[in-house]
Amino acid sequence: MNKLKQNVGKEKQDVQEKGLQVSLRNKLYPNRIKSITALTIVLALTVFFGSRLSDLRFNYSFNSFFPKGDDDLEYYEQFIEEFGQHNDFLFVVLKTEYPIQPSFIEKVNQLKNVLESIPETQKVTSPFDLKGVQINPLGVNTFNLISRSQPTDQSKLEDLKLLGQLFGREDESAMLILRHQEFLDKKLADSYYLAILQSIKDSGFEDTIASGKIQMQYDFTQKLETELGTLLITSLIVVLVVLLALFRSFKGLILPVTTLVLTIIWTMGFMAWTGKPIDVMVIMIPAILLIIALSDVIHFVHKYDELRNKGLEYKEAIHKTILTIGKATFLTSVTTAIGFISLVFIPIGPIREFGLITAAGVIMAFLITFLVLPALLYFFPSTVERRLKSRFNWEHILGAIHDRIIKKKSLLVICVSLVSIVLIAGIPKLHLSTSLIVGLQKNEPELQKVAYFDKNFDGYKPFELGIELNADVNLLSPEVIAKMAKLENYLIEDYGVAHLQSPLNIIREINAGRNGGSRKYIELPKADDLKGVARYYNSPRLEDQRQQIQTNDGKLIRMIGRNKDLGSAHYLNLNTKLEQFLISEINGDGFEARITGASYLIDKTDEYVVSALLKGIGFALLSVSVFILIFFKSLRLAIYTLVPNLIPIAILFGLMGWFGVHLNISTAIIFTVALGIAIDDSIHFIARYKLERDSHTNKEAIKNAFTGTGKSILVTSIVIVLGFSVFLSSGFSASYYLGFFIVLAAIIALLLDLIILPIILSKRKD
């Protein structure tokens, strides 16, 4: 039976060889004109994309991470049309040993005047300008709560509840809250921010902290520029080291580097052409493409050198390399691109764009590899790798490893299964959580600022809640005040909002003002006294306070405050309880309260992560399966290709749980990217196995595939591990965790491809 099969295989091989002889004259067969044409096309496209590189811009916008198509986003956008952005502020902390001494107060007031003189500044709130209210026969009068000329006792700050609000709890700082116009142009925002810093410095303040949206965007983009350069340079160094170690020749350095550089120029030029700025996700693209493109080059060059070393003439070697490696590499490029394309299911703009642009770059890398390398090898036909006189024989070593694997297959399957089960068991420990500043690691200076404000100023994270009143509902009616008081108490006691501001603050001040301004009357008036309070509520003296928390007609109100950045998992639970409280206890009778704000929308991204991730993985698996099925024309081989790559994905979920890494919008990309990259080696293995199976027994085909592709699989896996290890130096959590888990996925996939895949295939009958 085996002999008959071998004869049939021999006949098939003869037919294939005859077909190959005919195909040598087809359009893929290299010649001088085609090589020059290919290089000319590549050069023209490179000039086009290269000319666009000067249009690249760096940008980081909080709003870009809001979930698109969300009802709460639409509500928030309507809300800010009335009040403006609540997060258009800058906290300016001025440190001093005695923050309530007259000399320091005078210095702060001078700085306040300077900052308010800058045109883009809307308002500067100073702790030394806080006003109390007194009611006299002439109407409303105000007075300074903190004396500018007399030292203030520290206990008074506690009585005024200013510690943690405008004075640091460490008793050595005071804070200005600077509100500014919304900047649609980042250049203007940067210019304004730098002007603020210069003004602070010129005013004689040295130990200061300025933090807010424009500061974070400025620092972030500075960090982006540094990170992009660092990742790109480090990746290039890794690539050069790998190429020198692998090919040990000048040609083995120049040809691949040319291909890789062209890939980067095309992709970044394409980004600039489409108007995509460089953000926290985009900085990873060049390094990722260097790694993926290098894998394509390695497979191509190894096959070309293999054929040349067997004595094939260079034109025929180029042609056969394109035919054999081209199909498998095209499939791996498509499957990798699908992994990135599947990120479109996550409704976050930067992640979608990252997926689509990287997918385009992967396809560009394939096109450049199979246009440039054949053309360059036509003009420089010698082998790329310089062979050394050594007793080390890849085929012999890999053959011995294969024999040992088959011999110990039962034990290996048991060990792999047990280890996989233990690692996958970490999945229940996996939690969803996102920080306010998306994409940074906890030890970064930017997040240390957040921690400082959380500790000394009761929070950095803005809280915002909207209240809509029907036309026939009076803001100062006892029913509305009672509901707002009940809601306020819940937000402070149960939700943890600090320094909450609402119309109730103004009402309390008026109530104290009706009693001589005494602070012991800072409380809500009784229902019978509300009419007296209402007489003064709309006083022009209180207009600035009213504008921050209500519209002119009083029908749209907002309650604003600060929270500590404890992660979205913490606040999603609180938000659920708050929404239930609003429905059961507050809303109704013309009173409608609804949580909103930029922080709330960032927290909400967690709600989309799991469903989007499952959709993305499902889409990737389905698409990859279809392409593999079309390519191999065998359902069984398609299944064999996918199985060793599903296990690493499950293990990654488990490892994230064991390591305590949160699943969020920046780490959700890991799984589909890992699937797209990890499956490449399986495809090359199965493709070689299928080719060998036509003329050999199943056992021989497996061993030939193992020894024939083992070197390329091992080398490309090492390249992936070394390449993605570069991301471990990144200060962005998105980059760091992508690198960390892709390295693990590559190692796990390599072991499974070389251990489990041959064992699975060995179960097939001849």
Side-chain angles (χ1 to χ4, degrees), residues 128-239:
F128 309 115
D129 284 338
L130 295 180
K131 305 291 185 181
V133 173
Q134 289 179 328
I135 306 297
N136 56 46
L138 298 178
V140 176
N141 189 31
T142 59
F143 64 94
N144 290 327
L145 291 175
I146 299 176
S147 173
R148 297 187 180 186
S149 58
Q150 298 296 325
T152 301
D153 187 80
Q154 192 73 18
S155 61
K156 186 173 182 180
L157 298 182
E158 297 179 4
D159 294 338
L160 293 172
K161 299 180 179 179
L162 293 178
L163 285 179
Q165 181 179 8
L166 293 173
F167 290 94
R169 292 196 177 276
E170 86 281 42
D171 296 336
E172 295 182 350
S173 61
M175 182 171 72
L176 303 178
I177 300 178
L178 186 154
R179 297 202 172 274
H180 54 78
Q181 70 178 44
E182 180 182 5
F183 291 102
L184 300 179
D185 187 331
K186 187 180 175 300
K187 285 185 177 180
L188 295 178
D190 290 347
S191 176
Y192 174 70
Y193 172 62
L194 294 175
I196 293 295
L197 294 184
Q198 189 62 47
S199 297
I200 295 171
K201 183 178 180 181
D202 292 343
S203 297
F205 292 95
E206 296 181 357
D207 195 359
T208 65
I209 298 175
S211 188
K213 185 172 119 177
I214 58 172
Q215 166 268 327
M216 193 59 68
Q217 290 179 348
Y218 177 83
D219 288 352
F220 228 87
T221 50
Q222 295 293 310
K223 193 178 186 70
L224 286 174
E225 293 180 18
T226 303
E227 284 277 322
L228 179 62
T230 301
L231 288 177
L232 189 54
I233 292 172
T234 309
S235 298
L236 280 172
I237 292 173
V238 170
V239 166

Side-chain angles (χ1 to χ4, degrees), residues 289-559:
L289 291 179
L290 280 178
I291 300 163
I292 293 173
L294 184 57
S295 298
D296 291 347
V297 171
I298 289 172
H299 282 292
F300 190 102
V301 170
H302 274 169
K303 187 62 180 179
Y304 174 78
D305 280 2
E306 177 189 334
L307 294 173
R308 290 285 282 143
N309 290 330
K310 287 182 178 180
L312 267 69
E313 190 262 345
Y314 74 95
K315 294 181 182 179
E316 187 175 357
I318 293 172
H319 183 70
K320 280 192 174 182
T321 300
I322 294 173
L323 288 178
T324 54
I325 295 299
K327 292 180 180 179
T329 305
F330 173 73
L331 182 58
T332 58
S333 297
V334 169
T335 54
T336 302
I338 287 171
F340 287 104
I341 290 173
S342 64
L343 295 177
V344 299
F345 289 98
I346 298 178
I348 309 299
I351 294 180
R352 285 180 168 181
E353 293 162 358
F354 164 78
L356 293 173
I357 290 172
T358 310
V362 170
I363 300 303
M364 288 179 182
F366 169 79
L367 292 175
I368 291 170
T369 299
F370 283 85
L371 283 173
V372 173
L373 286 185
L376 292 179
L377 288 172
Y378 178 86
F379 293 108
F380 306 97
S382 61
T383 56
V384 177
E385 180 180 358
R386 188 176 69 180
R387 304 183 70 181
L388 300 177
K389 294 181 180 180
S390 173
R391 295 181 180 180
F392 186 85
N393 187 301
W394 274 102
E395 187 172 347
H396 176 74
I397 298 297
L398 290 170
I401 294 173
H402 166 268
D403 294 342
R404 184 63 61 88
I405 289 172
I406 297 300
K407 185 177 180 180
K408 302 287 186 180
K409 60 183 178 182
S410 297
L411 178 61
L412 288 171
V413 168
I414 292 172
C415 291
V416 169
S417 299
L418 290 176
V419 172
S420 298
I421 290 171
V422 171
L423 296 179
I424 293 171
I427 291 178
K429 298 179 179 293
L430 186 59
H431 298 290
L432 290 163
S433 188
T434 302
S435 296
L436 176 63
I437 312 301
V438 179
L440 284 177
Q441 294 188 65
K442 292 182 179 179
N443 61 345
E444 290 303 301
E446 292 81 1
L447 289 189
Q448 290 176 10
K449 284 187 179 182
V450 174
Y452 173 83
F453 282 100
D454 281 352
K455 179 180 179 181
N456 292 295
F457 288 92
D458 299 340
Y460 182 91
K461 183 175 182 175
F463 172 85
E464 201 163 359
L465 181 140
I467 299 173
E468 293 183 83
L469 303 178
N470 284 354
D472 56 346
V473 175
N474 182 7
L475 168 62
L476 296 175
S477 67
E479 295 79 14
V480 170
I481 297 302
K483 282 192 174 186
M484 290 180 64
K486 188 175 183 178
L487 176 55
E488 179 187 67
N489 182 68
Y490 181 92
L491 293 175
I492 294 172
E493 298 297 329
D494 296 277
Y495 197 97
V497 181
H499 313 302
L500 193 62
Q501 298 178 49
S502 75
L504 299 184
N505 298 71
I506 301 176
I507 292 171
R508 289 190 180 97
E509 286 290 344
I510 295 174
N511 189 54
R514 295 176 73 229
N515 292 276
S518 174
R519 305 314 293 173
K520 70 178 182 179
Y521 290 100
I522 292 292
E523 59 185 19
L524 291 176
K526 296 179 181 179
D528 294 340
D529 295 329
L530 277 175
K531 289 185 179 179
V533 170
R535 292 173 53 196
Y536 306 104
Y537 183 82
N538 291 313
S539 168
R541 290 289 187 101
L542 303 175
E543 183 177 0
D544 287 345
Q545 298 179 47
R546 288 196 307 273
Q547 286 181 342
Q548 294 184 45
I549 43 84
Q550 71 174 64
T551 53
N552 290 332
D553 60 4
K555 298 305 178 183
L556 181 60
I557 299 164
R558 70 174 176 177
M559 304 180 85

Side-chain angles (χ1 to χ4, degrees), residues 139 282 645:
V282 168
N645 296 286

Side-chain angles (χ1 to χ4, degrees), residues 672-691:
T672 51
V673 174
L675 177 63
I677 291 177
I679 204 169
D680 289 2
D681 291 339
S682 299
I683 290 173
H684 281 286
F685 190 102
I686 295 293
R688 180 62 178 264
Y689 165 79
K690 187 175 184 297
L691 185 64

Side-chain angles (χ1 to χ4, degrees), residues 92-131:
V92 179
V93 175
L94 309 171
K95 295 186 178 182
T96 182
E97 189 173 355
Y98 302 106
I100 47 178
Q101 293 299 311
S103 58
F104 179 74
I105 294 173
E106 179 61 27
K107 193 175 178 181
V108 171
N109 286 330
Q110 291 175 359
L111 173 62
K112 175 180 180 290
N113 293 333
V114 170
L115 296 178
E116 287 185 328
S117 68
I118 301 175
E120 294 84 1
T121 301
Q122 294 178 338
K123 180 179 177 59
V124 178
T125 300
S126 166
F128 309 115
D129 284 338
L130 295 180
K131 305 291 185 181

